[in-house]
Amino acid sequence: LASQPFFLHIICVGAMVMACTIIPMSIDHGLVSLEGCTRACISIPWLGAMGFSMTVSALFTKTHRINILLNNANRLHRIKVTAWDVAKPMMFLLSVNSIVLSVMTALSPPAYEMIVERTDSFDRPTDIRGQCNFSDSYAYIGSVCAVNL
């Protein structure tokens, strides 16, 4: 039961995708343009949500497959459970996440904003900090979190 390479590969890919979220988090206005920073801000929820849902749904479907086998073993029935039989919840979860994130990207994407920390005596900025503004996207990000739980 432990050697199900299909699910193990999905868990590894999901963990890698989720770990790649740190790459757009490290991009700032010193490296790329403001448009590039905004695109990096948009990619953060995509990478995080899709990687998390791939990992968790693969673990769930693997556990579901074991439960099906053990429940039928109690009844002394021999069955064959294919990867496709239990991959349907994973496909559903990834589809719902893709739809919600696509709507978020189209209607109210996160934006990169520059915040002036300090100014000099002539009111010129001396310290500027950039950050992603997710304030318009909270409802969508909350929806993704609720679906994944």
Side-chain angles (χ1 to χ4, degrees):
L1 293 176
S3 63
Q4 299 171 357
F6 176 73
F7 295 111
L8 295 175
H9 289 139
I10 291 176
I11 290 169
C12 289
V13 169
M16 283 190 282
V17 169
M18 199 169 22
C20 285
T21 304
I22 199 164
I23 295 169
M25 287 180 168
S26 66
I27 294 176
D28 67 352
H29 58 277
L31 295 173
V32 296
S33 66
L34 289 177
E35 182 181 337
C37 291
T38 297
R39 288 184 183 179
C41 290
I42 292 170
S43 70
I44 291 169
W46 275 92
L47 291 170
M50 297 308 275
F52 180 80
S53 63
M54 285 171 70
T55 303
V56 171
S57 63
L59 288 170
F60 170 76
T61 54
K62 187 172 172 136
T63 306
H64 182 62
R65 183 180 199 176
I66 292 169
N67 283 336
I68 291 172
L69 291 174
L70 292 178
N71 286 337
N72 284 307
N74 289 339
R75 293 185 232 145
L76 301 174
H77 289 190
R78 182 180 172 106
I79 62 166
K80 181 179 179 184
V81 181
T82 63
W84 178 248
D85 292 335
V86 291
K88 292 173 189 170
M90 182 178 6
M91 300 302 282
F92 174 75
L93 190 61
L94 290 173
S95 299
V96 170
N97 280 334
S98 295
I99 291 168
V100 172
L101 289 170
S102 296
V103 171
M104 177 196 76
T105 302
L107 298 180
S108 60
Y112 187 81
E113 63 183 16
M114 305 209 4
I115 298 171
V116 176
E117 294 286 322
R118 277 188 237 141
T119 59
D120 63 5
S121 59
F122 298 107
D123 212 23
R124 294 179 296 193
T126 56
D127 287 334
I128 299 173
R129 154 176 82 85
Q131 70 181 20
C132 294
N133 182 0
F134 291 97
S135 61
D136 294 339
S137 307
Y138 285 146
Y140 300 104
I141 294 172
S143 299
V144 168
C145 290
V147 166
N148 287 320
L149 293 178

